[in-house]
Amino acid sequence: MKHAIYPGSFDPMTLGHLDVIERAAQMFDTLTVSVLNNVAKSPLFSVEERVKILEEATAHLKNVKIDSFSGLLIDYCAKKDVHIVIRGLRAITDFEYELQIAQTNRKLSKGQVDTIFLTTSLEYAYLSSSSVKEIASFHGDISQCVPEFLVDRIHNKFS
Ligand code: ADP
């Protein structure tokens, strides 16, 4: 059975993330989307909130599970007995960062954890969690960036 993990901050999740999730879910028997609990960042949404949001957004995808983790991704993969990580690529800037992380994970895990990249769908190439937060902080329109049910929840964080 093929199982992959899509890790990320998802703070907040965007339609770009959802697009990667939907496409990866078609390629694997099970896809676990896992929220990284990064203590170094001060997030807009708590890990619990982000997990709930992802659960709501992926309710239509029966082979997608939502989880969270802290610590090293390769340790989490070993615990789950998963060997494939999914990441998304938007532009060359993502590539430099993602390449380094993917190679580090492969080396540290002694070849047990490999990364598969899905290139962004063109309509979401511009989209990032940080730009959504910046637009929302100025009360701008984020309806083309995130699922509809999430629009007010993000705006409420800035009201
Ligand atoms: P990070 O895990 O680096 O904090 P995010 O949670 O924002 O980043 O994103 C998780 C993954 O999804 C990363 O691989 C990122 O490149 C990818 N991603 C983010 N936005 C998009 C998008 N619009 N299209 C495709 N992939 C994306």
Side-chain angles (χ1 to χ4, degrees):
M1 201 174 94
K2 283 279 171 211
H3 185 175
I5 288 176
Y6 178 29
S9 305
F10 305 108
D11 186 41
M13 74 152 291
T14 68
L15 291 175
H17 293 132
L18 188 58
D19 176 60
V20 170
I21 293 169
E22 285 173 341
R23 287 157 60 201
Q26 288 180 21
M27 298 172 188
F28 295 90
D29 298 309
T30 308
L31 177 72
T32 299
V33 182
S34 201
V35 176
L36 171 63
N37 186 1
N38 186 346
V39 284
K41 286 189 184 173
S42 46
L44 186 64
F45 288 96
S46 70
V47 170
E48 294 72 24
E49 287 174 316
R50 281 178 270 162
V51 164
K52 283 221 172 68
I53 288 165
L54 281 162
E55 280 171 351
E56 229 171 295
T58 60
H60 61 296
L61 301 167
K62 297 302 164 214
N63 62 336
V64 172
K65 296 182 163 72
I66 312 299
D67 194 18
S68 63
F69 73 106
S70 29
L72 285 181
L73 177 62
I74 57 160
D75 292 338
Y76 174 67
C77 288
K79 201 176 93 190
K80 292 258 164 199
D81 194 25
V82 172
H83 305 275
I84 301 168
V85 166
I86 301 292
R87 294 285 286 177
L89 283 180
R90 281 159 297 188
I92 198 78
T93 41
D94 275 348
F95 180 77
E96 284 185 26
Y97 169 75
E98 295 287 348
L99 181 71
Q100 192 184 14
I101 293 178
Q103 288 174 336
T104 305
N105 285 335
R106 188 145 179 266
K107 187 86 183 160
L108 274 185
S109 69
K110 300 189 170 56
Q112 288 301 298
V113 175
D114 229 327
T115 304
I116 293 180
F117 295 104
L118 292 186
T119 53
T120 183
S121 295
L122 283 182
E123 66 263 44
Y124 303 127
Y126 69 96
L127 198 49
S128 70
S129 298
S130 355
S131 60
V132 169
K133 282 184 271 199
E134 190 164 356
I135 298 166
S137 73
F138 295 109
H139 311 293
D141 179 8
I142 52 169
S143 61
Q144 290 178 64
C145 306
V146 299
E148 208 182 322
F149 76 88
L150 192 49
V151 172
D152 285 346
R153 288 191 219 175
I154 296 174
H155 280 305
N156 288 342
K157 292 276 180 185
F158 292 98
S159 61

